[in-house]
C-alpha cells in the first residue's frame, strides 16, 4: 500500500447537487493532484495543490474547486453536478514541487451522478 | 497543453511473448514519462519511468525507450505472464508546471495462458 487514502469509496448524487471528496496524502508528501478518470479513459488532470495553494489547473470549469490543509490532506469540491461528472476521482500525492517526482495514487472515489 | 496519444488500445499476446505499447507526446518541454499499470477496480501503480536525459531504462522484464526527437516513448514487456494482464497508461509531465501528468487513453493488455 502506498499510504494515500480517499473517502468515500463510492458516492451517488443527483444532478445539481454538490459533492466533497477527500484525500489524505502519503506521509511526508506536500503536493496533491486530482484526476478524473471516466470509464475506459486515462486520468485527466483537474488541478494540483502545493503547500495549500493551487499550483496548476487542467481544462475543468470553476465548479471544480479544491483545498489543501496544513497537514497536506486535500478536498475536491464539485458544484452543480452534471451527468458527465460520473467518473472515478483519483488523488495522487508527491513530495517535491517543480520537479518530476513519482506520484502515488489513492484508491479513488467512484462518483455516480443520476 | 500537452497531448499524449497511446496505441494500441487493446493488445492480446500469448504467454511468454513480448508486448509493446507506444505513446507520442506533443510538447517538447515534457521531460518525465511514467508508465502506470491499473488492474480492474484498483489504483494506478507506477511500474517504470524515464526522464528526458535518458534514452532507455530497464527493470527486469520491463523496459522503456524514449526518442525525444520524434517525441515518442514505448513500453516493452518481455516474457509476458498472465498477471501482466491489466490496463497500462503512459503519461508525460512538464517539470516546470509542477508535476502535472498528462495521460494517454490506456492499453488493455491480455496475456493468454
Amino acid at each position: 500500500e502506498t499510504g494515500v487514502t480517499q473517502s468515500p469509496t463510492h458516492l451517488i448524487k443527483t444532478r445539481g447537487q454538490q459533492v466533497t471528496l477527500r484525500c489524505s496524502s502519503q506521509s511526508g508528501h506536500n503536493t496533491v493532484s486530482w484526476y478524473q478518470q471516466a470509464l475506459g479513459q486515462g486520468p485527466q488532470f483537474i488541478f494540483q495543490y502545493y503547500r495549500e495553494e493551487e499550483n496548476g489547473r487542467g481544462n475543468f470549469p470553476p465548479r471544480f474547486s479544491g483545498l489543501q490543509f496544513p497537514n497536506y490532506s486535500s478536498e475536491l469540491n464539485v458544484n452543480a453536478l452534471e451527468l458527465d461528472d460520473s467518473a472515478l476521482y483519483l488523488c495522487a500525492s508527491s513530495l517535491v514541487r517543480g520537479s518530476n517526482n513519482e506520484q502515488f495514487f489513492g484508491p479513488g472515489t467512484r462518483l455516480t451522478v443520476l | 497543453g500537452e497531448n499524449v496519444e497511446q496505441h494500441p488500445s487493446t493488445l492480446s499476446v500469448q504467454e511468454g511473448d513480448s508486448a509493446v505499447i507506444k505513446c507520442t507526446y506533443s510538447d517538447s518541454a515534457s521531460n518525465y514519462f511514467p508508465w502506470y499499470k491499473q488492474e480492474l477496480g484498483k489504483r494506478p501503480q507506477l511500474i517504470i519511468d524515464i526522464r528526458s536525459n535518458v534514452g532507455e531504462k530497464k527493470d527486469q522484464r520491463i523496459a522503456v525507450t524514449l526518442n525525444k526527437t520524434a517525441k515518442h516513448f514505448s513500453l516493452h514487456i518481455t516474457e509476458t505472464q498472465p498477471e501482466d494482464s491489466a490496463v497500462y497508461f503512459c503519461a508525460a509531465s512538464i517539470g516546470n508546471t509542477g508535476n502535472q501528468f498528462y495521460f494517454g487513453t490506456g492499453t488493455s493488455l491480455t496475456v493468454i495462458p
Side-chain angles (χ1 to χ4, degrees), chain A residues 1-2 4 35 37 40-43 45 48 55-57 88 90 94 96 98-103 105-107, chain B residues 31-32 36 38 41-46 49 51 89 93-106:
Chain A
E1 290 298 312
T2 64
V4 182
Y35 296 87
Q37 186 176 23
Q41 299 294 317
F45 176 73
Q48 182 182 83
N55 178 47
R57 187 179 185 92
L88 179 68
L90 295 161
S94 54
V96 179
S99 60
N100 301 122
N101 287 290
E102 180 178 347
Q103 292 191 3
F105 281 86
Chain B
N31 55 6
Y32 176 64
Y36 285 84
Q38 188 175 30
K42 296 192 175 181
R43 72 189 76 191
Q45 299 270 13
L46 179 74
D49 56 14
R51 301 178 192 279
F89 292 99
S93 173
I94 303 171
N96 61 4
T97 60
N99 244 12
Q100 298 166 17
F101 285 11
Y102 297 88
F103 284 84
T105 50

Side-chain angles (χ1 to χ4, degrees), chain B residues 23-103:
Chain B
C23 289
T24 60
Y25 60 98
S26 60
D27 196 325
S28 57
S30 290
N31 55 6
Y32 176 64
F33 307 91
W35 285 89
Y36 285 84
K37 175 183 180 182
Q38 188 175 30
E39 297 178 37
L40 191 62
K42 296 192 175 181
R43 72 189 76 191
Q45 299 270 13
L46 179 74
I47 55 172
I48 196 167
D49 56 14
I50 191 167
R51 301 178 192 279
S52 59
N53 59 349
V54 175
E56 183 174 359
K57 182 177 178 180
K58 189 173 181 180
D59 182 5
Q60 299 183 355
R61 298 185 297 108
I62 295 173
V64 58
T65 58
L66 171 65
N67 184 326
K68 287 188 295 182
T69 303
K71 298 201 198 68
H72 67 70
F73 55 113
S74 301
L75 177 71
H76 304 253
I77 306 174
T78 58
E79 301 171 25
T80 53
Q81 301 167 3
E83 51 266 38
D84 294 330
S85 296
V87 179
Y88 292 80
F89 292 99
C90 62
S93 173
I94 303 171
N96 61 4
T97 60
N99 244 12
Q100 298 166 17
F101 285 11
Y102 297 88
F103 284 84

Side-chain angles (χ1 to χ4, degrees), chain A residues 6-12 21-22 87-89 107-111, chain B residues 41:
Chain A
Q6 291 185 244
S7 63
T9 305
H10 297 88
L11 203 52
I12 299 175
L21 310 181
R22 296 178 175 83
L88 179 68
Y89 288 85
T109 294
R110 174 73 61 188
L111 173 64

Side-chain angles (χ1 to χ4, degrees), chain A residues 11-15 17-20 81 111-114:
Chain A
L11 203 52
I12 299 175
K13 292 285 189 178
T14 56
R15 275 186 304 173
Q17 285 189 310
Q18 179 266 344
V19 68
T20 297
L81 284 167
L111 173 64
T112 301
V113 182
L114 302 176

Side-chain angles (χ1 to χ4, degrees), chain A residues 16 47 53-54 57 63 67 74 78 87 96-97 100 104-105:
Chain A
F47 44 56
E53 293 189 358
E54 187 177 290
R57 187 179 185 92
R63 59 189 185 85
L67 285 173
S74 178
V78 187
V96 179
R97 167 182 176 265
N100 301 122
F104 294 89
F105 281 86

